[in-house]
Amino acid sequence: MDRRRFLTMTGAAGVGLAAAGFGPAARAASYPYFNRRVPDEAHTKMGELAPYGIASVAFTPSGGWVIVTQDGRYFARGVPDAFFAELRAKIGAGWRIHCVAFPPEGGDRWVITGDKGMSARGLPVDCHQRVQSCYAAGRQVVDVAFPPAGGDRWVVADTQGFYARGIDDECYQMMRNLTQGGRRVTRAAFPRTGGWAVVAQDEFFARGIDDECFGTMGEFAADGWQLHNLAFTPAGGWSLSTRGRVPSLPVDRVRQVENAVRDSTIWQRMSAWNTPGVAVAVVTGNKIAWSTGYGRLEAGGAAAAHPETAFQAASISKAVAAIGVLRLTQTLGLPLSGDIRPLLGWTLPRRSCVSSSAVPTVDRLLTHRGGVIGRGSTSPADACSGFGSGGGGFAGYGPDATVPSLLQVMNGEGNSPRIELSTDPGAAYHYSGAGFVLLQRMVEQKSGMSLASYMAKEVFGPLGMRTSSYALAPAFELASGHTAAGAVIPGRRNRYPESAAAGLYTNVLDLCRLVSYLNRAWTASGDIAGPLSKASVRTLLTTGPQPGMGRGFFVAGSGTKDFSYTHDGSNYGFKAVFKGYPELGAGYAVMANGDNMALVNEVAAAIRSVHGWA
């Protein structure tokens, strides 16, 4: 008789379903399950075993299957002999089984994991080593899963985290996102026809799976059951089962934010605003509490947006560059009240109506009161007042354009007017990217380095901002910019030699590292490790010549617990915002590769609402 035909039990001499405590009296609970297009016998056996709490269900590539309960009951059909013998031996040795799985290549390939270790044959080498390393580190492996393409593609989930190789990038994105709210990945599953599903205790996400399967998963969750098992058959069937209710878990702020973006979900709002990708990070307790990515680096592409992805930060460049400016003035002892012109190595033109005694100071330029109006607000050419609102930014240079040097930009030899004193410094506020070009020139002249090199050495390095750069084309994974209609912009992203004004590439994690540093430096009793002294940080974030502005940052709520500093950014195809609350030890960053600022503001508002920040 085929020994795989009957259920075998730990320590049991009999083989019948009623043997060794298998009678009706032993069924202390009734756990729901649902199967579609699975072998009839597998469906029948699941009904018999479900009351005991199914620990794992798996189907082989050739149509075999196995069911294991949490107390050691199991039944298998059409599985490799070596696997069956090993499963019996491990259960006989007192193992509590967590997972069984079969690589898609078929044959004598399988893995068994449990509370006492693992046993496997024919796994990809890296997968096998990863499972072993989990147990060596004292972490039990709860799930191993394989995409249908086979090869070195796999997911390993243990009691603390997950590891993946060669899977769909959005699947990885969602596994990472689901774990940011205090959850663990407990199951991953891949239909033979493509698609995937990920379960993280009380949450799940799926793409490209059977609609009925997805709907049934939702019904399980709505009834308070945890999805312990999800398995797909090679013939297109699927199986769902649970062995208990969802455990008590901490509040999931991430899911709350995702579902509170203008009374909708973040995915729905991204679609409404034609934005392919968004990344988010949040600081609490002056540490990055969670970070997530949504959508794609480029519309129609396979690469997903992650918190590690670099986006153009646009005008956030000014706030970050201001830290470099204060680092330079602190190091060289340059007064903020000093005239910037002797530090430029270049003659700053002025209109005839600008007073010859007017002084464009470093401080005034940092607060947009330096008399440098900027692009789009320079007409009429002989006027010193009555300028139109707006302007102050740069258009950037597309793929077919020659990028001018900084000096050429200053002389008006690029696609923007020459930089000049258009009105008396200090007389009025005019948001001015051109003013930050002059600050960039000052940094480069006094340091002897490009702004990119200076900031890497003096600011980004000390703060651990490893994916931040003012280079025109840094060697990071870069998001592509998109039009308001959702089309990729020509060349994927414009180039900005006006680096301090608009040329920063960074990610939400680095921006939140910066938030954490500024928060801590503001509240510390003395200097802390970093580019700025406490006095310089106080200058940076304290209102200066312009109401509502520090130096390079906009500030609000001074003197209250809700005191904050912020800056947003808007380049062609990219939008971003970041904000810090020093007295709360909190903050956030949101970056998007679309051309609609409203989406970024909606996500930021959801973060503030969920976390209770002003």
Side-chain angles (χ1 to χ4, degrees), residues 430-505:
H430 292 280
Y431 186 79
S432 175
F436 274 78
V437 168
L438 296 183
L439 292 167
Q440 176 181 344
R441 173 72 177 185
M442 178 192 74
V443 170
E444 294 184 345
Q445 287 294 107
K446 298 305 294 183
S447 70
M449 294 185 281
S450 67
L451 181 70
S453 297
Y454 178 82
M455 292 296 290
K457 177 177 182 290
E458 300 293 335
V459 177
F460 299 149
L463 295 181
M465 297 172 66
R466 297 181 179 85
T467 313
S468 296
S469 177
Y470 281 97
L472 285 178
F476 308 139
E477 177 188 67
L478 302 176
S480 297
H482 296 78
T483 68
V488 180
I489 67 174
R492 294 188 169 89
R493 56 200 72 88
N494 280 353
R495 296 160 293 170
Y496 296 86
E498 310 91 353
S499 305
L504 175 64
Y505 286 92

Side-chain angles (χ1 to χ4, degrees), residues 556-576:
S558 298
T560 73
K561 67 178 181 62
D562 294 320
F563 165 61
S564 66
Y565 55 89
T566 188
H567 211 294
D568 61 17
S570 178
N571 276 2
Y572 181 39
F574 294 92
K575 300 293 180 278

Side-chain angles (χ1 to χ4, degrees), residues 34-54:
F34 196 100
N35 297 312
R36 184 67 77 195
R37 297 183 297 279
V38 304
D40 289 343
E41 187 181 27
H43 179 73
T44 299
K45 293 304 179 185
M46 185 171 292
E48 295 169 351
L49 296 175
Y52 305 99
I54 294 173

Side-chain angles (χ1 to χ4, degrees), residues 1-6 39 41-42 45 58-60 62-67 75-80 83-84 102:
M1 180 179 290
D2 186 349
R3 64 187 176 188
R4 288 169 290 178
R5 184 174 179 180
F6 293 102
E41 187 181 27
K45 293 304 179 185
F59 298 92
T60 72
S62 59
W65 50 272
V66 59
I67 306 169
F75 194 98
R77 179 74 73 196
V79 299
F83 164 80
F84 186 82
F102 303 94

Side-chain angles (χ1 to χ4, degrees), residues 13-32:
V15 294
L17 284 177
F22 246 78
R27 303 186 184 192
S30 179
Y31 301 121

